[in-house]
Amino acid sequence: MPIQDVMISDPFARLNHIDAGELNVAYVDEGPRDGTVVLLLHGWPYDIRSFGEVVPRLVDAGYRVLVPYLRGHGETVFRSAETLRNAQQSALAGDALTLLDALGVDRAIVAGFDWGARTADIVATLHPDRTLGLVSVSGYLIGSQAAGAAPLPPAAELQWWYQYYFATERGREGYDRYRHDFAKLIWRLASPQWAFDDDVFGASAVALDNPDHVDIVIHNYRWRLGLAEGDPRLDETEALLAHAPSIDVPTITLEGDANGAPHPDAAAYAPKFAGRYEHRVVAGGIGHNLPQEAPDAFAWAILDVARWAR
């Protein structure tokens, strides 16, 4: 059942911009200024519109909701041409914390899917004092270059075909030339039962036209395989994350019953959550882009975690 019958307007019609560390971040900021803050983090190849129907549900419940474009997406841009176009996991998590700092937000519920879920996991791991609660689609996604170097069984490797494509210069050029077609293919493979139309896809695909988008995507996947260097300033953080530390904050993990993207088994990562924890499977042919395909389930998880945190 819907949380309630809220009027769905376009919460992304007006973007805010703020300098935050290396970036000028474009973000949505909706809801009462004194409300509990929820930070929503999108994945690849998606954008902030994945949360288009989540935002008004949370705002109606009294929350302040922040939805930033990740580096290399939408109107988020680097402040200097000299900055390394780095997309290793700890850099993305640093962006989230730097944005909260720039906005004067001490604590927030963090929630996301795909790249955004990994970022939310890392924020909760490294900064539990600033994380009221966590909602993570596909659970515990913190990785390491060492883990990325380990071969998988052939069927599992097949699911990561694009990771190996991106490891080649042919793949980089192909993604640059056909990025919208590539993204639409990923959408279809990752959410095989989601009947999105061209208008829905097109509204999000423009976020891929960011001038740094290809650099960021290629670096992310090459770094995972140990084929690209990261920022030496983040070596200590990555060493900590490589030990797969536990997450202590109240957490709900979600999985769609028709997720076609590579994702870990929930039983394998459940022990990583040391605080109050629940895993939910969202039925109805729900794929990888869970917030957009099942906004009620995603919003409910956030509201439940918020109640646990009180």
Side-chain angles (χ1 to χ4, degrees):
M1 294 177 61
I3 291 174
Q4 68 177 70
D5 294 328
V6 296
M7 182 176 294
I8 306 298
S9 59
D10 184 358
F12 308 127
R14 180 179 62 84
L15 291 175
N16 301 278
H17 297 79
I18 192 170
D19 287 342
E22 298 175 339
L23 304 173
N24 180 268
V25 179
Y27 66 101
V28 167
D29 187 347
E30 294 287 327
R33 301 303 89 175
D34 60 349
T36 298
V37 175
V38 179
L39 178 65
L40 301 179
L41 300 165
H42 71 82
W44 171 87
Y46 306 95
D47 83 324
I48 61 176
R49 290 181 179 276
S50 291
F51 303 107
E53 295 189 25
V54 174
V55 172
R57 285 161 167 77
L58 297 178
V59 169
D60 190 68
Y63 290 81
R64 180 184 179 188
V65 187
L66 305 174
V67 195
Y69 276 111
L70 302 186
R71 55 173 59 195
H73 294 74
E75 295 182 23
T76 291
V77 295
F78 285 86
R79 298 171 63 191
S80 170
E82 306 304 316
T83 302
L84 173 68
R85 271 38 178 178
N86 177 15
Q88 69 187 103
Q89 60 182 355
S90 57
L92 295 170
D95 291 344
L97 266 295
T98 304
L99 175 62
L100 294 180
D101 288 342
L103 293 172
V105 175
D106 292 327
R107 304 182 74 196
I109 296 168
V110 290
F113 72 104
D114 195 80
W115 288 19
R118 180 176 296 106
T119 299
D121 289 347
I122 295 171
V123 170
T125 297
L126 298 180
H127 302 278
D129 57 320
R130 302 193 61 181
T131 308
L132 291 168
L134 169 68
V135 173
S136 178
V137 176
S138 297
Y140 190 93
L141 298 177
I142 299 172
S144 69
Q145 288 182 321
L152 301 172
E157 297 282 20
L158 179 63
Q159 290 187 299
W160 286 109
W161 63 272
Y162 54 88
Q163 183 169 250
Y164 302 112
Y165 181 62
F166 288 161
T168 69
E169 286 307 301
R170 176 188 175 97
R172 178 192 183 90
E173 181 180 347
Y175 184 60
D176 192 13
R177 184 180 302 181
Y178 303 111
R179 67 182 81 173
H180 286 205
D181 292 336
F182 199 101
K184 184 177 282 189
L185 174 62
I186 295 293
W187 279 36
R188 287 173 174 160
L189 293 174
S191 299
Q193 297 185 42
W194 182 29
F196 63 88
D197 59 28
D198 288 342
D199 289 340
V200 168
F201 174 76
S204 289
V206 294
L208 312 182
D209 296 331
N210 181 292
D212 297 305
H213 179 74
V214 174
D215 285 344
I216 289 300
V217 172
I218 297 300
H219 185 271
N220 179 281
Y221 287 102
R222 290 185 181 180
W223 181 86
R224 295 192 206 185
L225 294 175
L227 301 176
E229 296 294 327
D231 187 336
R233 296 173 297 176
L234 299 174
D235 286 351
E236 185 175 343
T237 300
E238 292 294 351
L240 175 62
L241 295 174
H243 292 289
S246 63
I247 295 175
D248 298 330
V249 304
T251 300
I252 293 175
T253 57
L254 300 170
E255 193 64 79
D257 65 342
N259 185 3
H263 60 278
D265 183 83
Y269 58 68
K272 288 297 180 183
F273 298 99
R276 183 169 179 179
Y277 172 69
E278 183 178 317
H279 178 70
R280 300 176 180 177
V281 176
V282 183
I286 303 303
H288 191 59
N289 187 2
L290 193 148
Q292 194 162 0
E293 298 176 60
D296 276 334
F298 193 81
W300 265 123
I302 292 169
L303 297 178
D304 285 343
V305 161
R307 285 190 282 270
W308 294 357
R310 289 175 187 158

